[in-house]
Structures are given as C-alpha cells and as structure tokens.
Amino acid sequence: MSDRRTFLKTVLFGNTAASAPLPTFTRDYHKELGIKPFINAIGPYSSLGGEEMWPEVIEAMDYAVQNKADMEDLHDAVGRRIAELVGSEYAMVSAGATSAIILATAGCMSGLDEDILLTLPNAENVKDEVILQKSHQYLYDRALRVPGTKLVFVETEDDLKNAIGSKTAMMFYVRKMEGQISASKWIDVGKEYNIPTLCDAATTVPPIQYLLDTVKMGFDLCCFSGGKGLRGPYSAGLLLGRKDLILAAKANGSPNHEAVGRAMKVAPEEYLGMMVAVETALKHDEGADMVHYYKLVNYMSKAINQLDGVSAIVKTDDKQGMEPFVNVNWDPNKYKISKDDLKLVLRNGNPCIELRAMFLSFGELHLTAHMLKKGEEITVANRVKEILLENKAGI
Ligand SMILES: *Cc1c(COP(=O)(O)O)cnc(C)c1O
C-alpha cells in the first residue's frame, strides 16, 4: 500500500517533486475513451473536474476503501472532528455544497418531525418559505426549492422584516454576492425573529481563513464545496453550524432510506477524505502558493503585453479569493477577433486551452494560474499571442 501511496503522490505532484520519476499508468483511460486533454487556465471549476485532491486525502480514501465502518459512527465522528477543527458547534460531510443546501433547507422545514421528514417535498402544514435577497438569486437556488419551498425575494431590510412570517423556514444568504442587506444585518434579523440563517460560501476557499471567518460570523449554518479549493473529494461538501439544525439536515439524507435527500449519499472514502482535506488545508502554506501563482501570471502578462495594442494586466479581486489573474484586452481596430471567439479558438485548438470568459468573468478574458502545470504558462501565453497575431488587421 505504501508503494501505491507514493505512486499516487507522484501522479498528482509529479511536477513539483523533481526527484521522483514521472509515473507510467498501465492504461491511458482518457485516450481509450477518446476524451481530449486540456490546459486549465480557468481554475478549479466543477465542470472541469474541480481541484486535485491533496495526497493526504487520497491516503485517507484508500484507508476507507479497505476499512469499513458503521456509516452513522463515521458520519458523527468525522462531523465532530471537523467541527473542532473549524470552530463550529457541529459539522457534517454532505454530497457537495448543493446537497448541503438541500438537506439544510429540508432540516429547517422538518426539524426531527417524522411526519414531515417522510412527506417532503409535499408535506402539509409546514413552514415552506425561504427568504433571500433578489440580488442573491443565482445558479444554485434550485437547491432551495427541492424540498418543496417557495422562494421569497426581498431588497431592503424593511422588505425582509415584512416578509418574515409563520411560514418562514429559513433565510438564505450567498457570501460575496452584492446586496442592500449586509451579512451581519441578515444574521441579526435572523436572530431577532428566531429564523435560521444559511450562508452559501461554497467557493470562498482558499484562503482557508474565509471558512473560519464565515463560521465565526454567526450564521446558523454555512456550507462549502469539498472538491474546489478545499481539495477534498470532488462530490463532497461541508455543512457547518448549529447542532440541532445539522441533526435535522442529517435526518433528511442517507442512510434514512425514506428521506427526500436519500439519493445524496456520501461514501466512506468521502467522509475521511473531506476530514483530511480540512486538516491539510489548515496546515498548508497558502502564501507559498500565492508566490507561485504570481510568478506564472506575471510571466503570461509580460509575454502577451509585448504585442502592440494589447494590454495584459495582472489583477486580483475578492470574488476570486484574492488570487491573481491576467486580464487581457486589445484594440479591436488592430486585432479582428472578439473575446468570445478567442476563447473558442483556444478551446478548439491543439492543445485545447480553457480560460475564464463570458459570465464567469463578467465578459472579460482572464488567465489564471491555479491549475496550470509546469511550463503550461508558456504554452498559454504563446497561443494567445499566436491567435491574436493571426487576426491582426490588415493581414
Ligand atoms: C460551486 C458552487 C456551488 C455548488 O457546489 P457543489 O459542491 O458542486 O455542489 C454552490 N454555490 C456556489 C456559490 C458555488 O460556487
């Protein structure tokens, strides 16, 4: 097994462990299946497989594959350990952040009431309204409706107070999204009216400090993706916060066979993998990662800036976890290609390169360093320059 561990570590970190020889797999599965490889200049997005897991996570998952445990024991013990690590009252591993939202919402509706638990999403005489700011309506709000809720949108604090009533199950907030009502005000109103608050902070890590800060802010519940910046198993996530609410969320999921969330099963490997992801992230030197990312984006920016009429500026913003990226612009009179088309040419080229564009970057073109492997920053910069030059006006 230790050979296998070394092997996996080398697979994942072959580029950084200079002394270790690159492994050879016995099969090239993607090639067999006709799946094309790509260079990831977007970042650890779910649609592209998320982040690479920490080697420590793979070891924990290996352990769980070979050592079975009672699932309730595992669920609770891992939850207690994670809660201790992050300073929340309680915690549970979920099947991703979306699943944490579904189960938490169901839990706020049902508590431990069997009649409701067994009849969601069609329960009668149940609190079934979730309040959120209109500006927080987003890609994943479908998850809030899965257990049978109706969404109530508000804009101002007055709207919020007027919207709260006997049917209110929960108040939902998305971290880092704009809105007239601040997070602390949202939490205060929740406490004043005794309505549970849930904060989606799925992609705010790294830095891991954001997770610790969100827990401290005072939301009753908050949730995170496991397979993005936390570098845990792709389909795992975390629900953190009040014990009574998390026990109610748990009752709405597997192994409760009749629960609305039974399909959102968490594997033993994912329980241990998620726990070790949190442990590892807390110990990791994020500063060193940042230095590395800056080196790569500075290289790409400098290389692309050499073109006349092109600006490639290194930027950072809070929405992207303060990680640096290169923002590329050009004079449309000098290069006859749109940003969207450049993205498509890169995607359809050889090698295929994915970068951040369209809604992910509000119409801008961003090159990120987070997922680049050794030397790929050179390929990315060269391809961007090449395509721009091919489209130079007057050629
Ligand atoms: C990615 C993301 C989710 C979904 O997370 P999963 O772990 O893939 O279910 C939810 N909310 C936000 C803000 C996200 O960025």
Side-chain angles (χ1 to χ4, degrees):
M1 175 161 153
S2 75
D3 277 348
R4 178 170 149 71
R5 248 181 249 155
T6 317
F7 172 69
L8 283 167
K9 269 183 202 166
T10 319
V11 172
L12 283 173
F13 293 94
N15 290 329
T16 47
S19 56
L22 279 176
T24 40
F25 285 106
T26 54
R27 289 171 64 183
D28 186 340
Y29 300 97
H30 285 177
K31 196 166 176 195
E32 281 178 29
L33 294 166
I35 293 169
K36 79 175 172 200
F38 66 94
I39 292 177
N40 183 345
I42 287 196
Y45 283 91
S46 287
S47 58
L48 293 173
E51 246 284 19
E52 290 181 359
M53 291 188 284
W54 304 102
E56 290 89 337
V57 169
I58 295 168
E59 179 188 317
M61 293 177 83
D62 248 357
Y63 177 96
V65 167
Q66 297 180 41
N67 297 276
K68 292 295 178 193
D70 179 283
M71 292 304 287
E72 292 265 347
D73 290 351
L74 193 58
H75 178 105
D76 294 344
V78 163
R80 280 195 300 273
R81 167 74 67 89
I82 292 174
E84 242 172 65
L85 287 166
V86 303
S88 66
E89 187 187 3
Y90 211 66
M92 72 179 244
V93 177
S94 63
T98 314
S99 150
I101 296 170
I102 297 174
L103 297 182
T105 308
C108 289
M109 298 170 81
S110 68
L112 295 175
D113 185 325
E114 281 280 315
D115 289 341
I116 302 177
L117 274 168
L118 299 181
T119 48
L120 289 177
N122 303 309
E124 282 170 14
N125 300 319
V126 65
K127 293 181 181 187
D128 64 356
E129 290 178 0
V130 171
I131 304 177
L132 64 160
Q133 297 188 69
K134 209 170 174 182
S135 58
H136 287 201
Q137 186 171 22
Y138 74 146
L139 199 58
Y140 300 99
D141 60 29
R142 181 77 177 85
L144 295 164
R145 286 181 284 129
V146 169
T149 69
K150 298 187 245 332
L151 304 187
V152 178
F153 295 103
V154 298
E155 286 181 80
T156 64
E157 192 183 332
D158 279 347
D159 289 352
L160 170 60
K161 290 181 171 170
N162 288 331
I164 294 173
S166 59
K167 285 293 206 179
T168 310
M170 193 247 281
M171 287 164 50
F172 182 71
Y173 190 92
V174 188
R175 189 95 203 262
K176 290 190 181 177
M177 269 197 160
E178 318 264 318
Q180 288 185 46
I181 311 172
S182 70
S184 60
K185 180 56 78 184
W186 198 258
I187 293 164
D188 287 348
V189 173
K191 291 206 194 315
E192 185 186 337
Y193 289 80
N194 201 22
I195 306 291
T197 48
L198 166 63
C199 174
D200 175 357
T203 31
T204 55
V205 177
I208 188 74
Q209 190 59 40
Y210 252 113
L211 185 151
L212 305 177
D213 289 348
T214 308
V215 167
K216 275 208 206 98
M217 286 176 83
F219 288 105
D220 294 300
L221 294 166
C222 53
C223 66
F224 296 86
S225 274
K228 298 180 188 161
L230 271 171
R231 299 179 59 179
Y234 175 78
S235 51
L238 290 176
L239 181 63
L240 309 173
R242 258 169 60 184
K243 184 169 180 179
D244 59 332
L245 294 176
I246 291 182
L247 291 178
K250 176 191 169 187
N252 279 284
S254 178
N256 184 354
H257 296 297
E258 292 174 278
V260 67
R262 170 61 180 80
M264 288 168 268
K265 203 157 82 166
V266 176
E269 304 87 277
E270 293 173 320
Y271 280 112
L272 288 190
M274 204 57 242
M275 178 185 87
V276 173
V278 174
E279 285 176 0
T280 311
L282 285 168
K283 282 187 284 197
H284 184 67
D285 181 359
E286 290 172 343
D289 289 347
M290 278 295 188
V291 170
H292 177 64
Y293 299 152
Y294 268 101
K295 204 176 126 198
L296 302 188
V297 292
N298 283 335
Y299 172 85
M300 292 191 286
S301 137
K302 215 171 139 197
I304 297 168
N305 256 327
Q306 287 166 352
L307 294 187
D308 174 45
V310 177
S311 104
I313 299 167
V314 173
K315 288 190 172 172
T316 134
D317 74 36
D318 184 46
K319 287 202 179 61
Q320 312 292 351
M322 300 314 286
E323 282 187 16
F325 54 86
V326 188
N327 193 20
V328 190
N329 282 290
W330 55 86
D331 179 345
N333 294 320
K334 291 196 170 147
Y335 301 92
K336 299 286 180 196
I337 184 167
S338 70
K339 288 179 181 169
D340 288 353
D341 284 345
L342 183 94
K343 179 190 169 85
L344 293 179
V345 175
L346 280 168
R347 174 179 288 163
N348 295 327
N350 185 19
C352 165
I353 297 172
E354 295 285 354
L355 48 64
R356 205 158 68 201
M358 303 174 185
F359 74 96
L360 291 172
S361 50
F362 308 98
E364 294 292 306
L365 256 192
H366 293 173
L367 306 172
T368 73
H370 194 113
M371 299 295 291
L372 291 181
K373 294 189 162 63
K374 196 169 184 197
E376 288 181 344
E377 73 281 10
I378 302 171
T379 314
V380 172
N382 283 345
R383 280 294 293 150
V384 170
K385 280 166 72 176
E386 208 171 276
I387 296 166
L388 284 171
L389 286 174
E390 280 164 10
N391 289 279
K392 200 163 181 182
I395 288 184

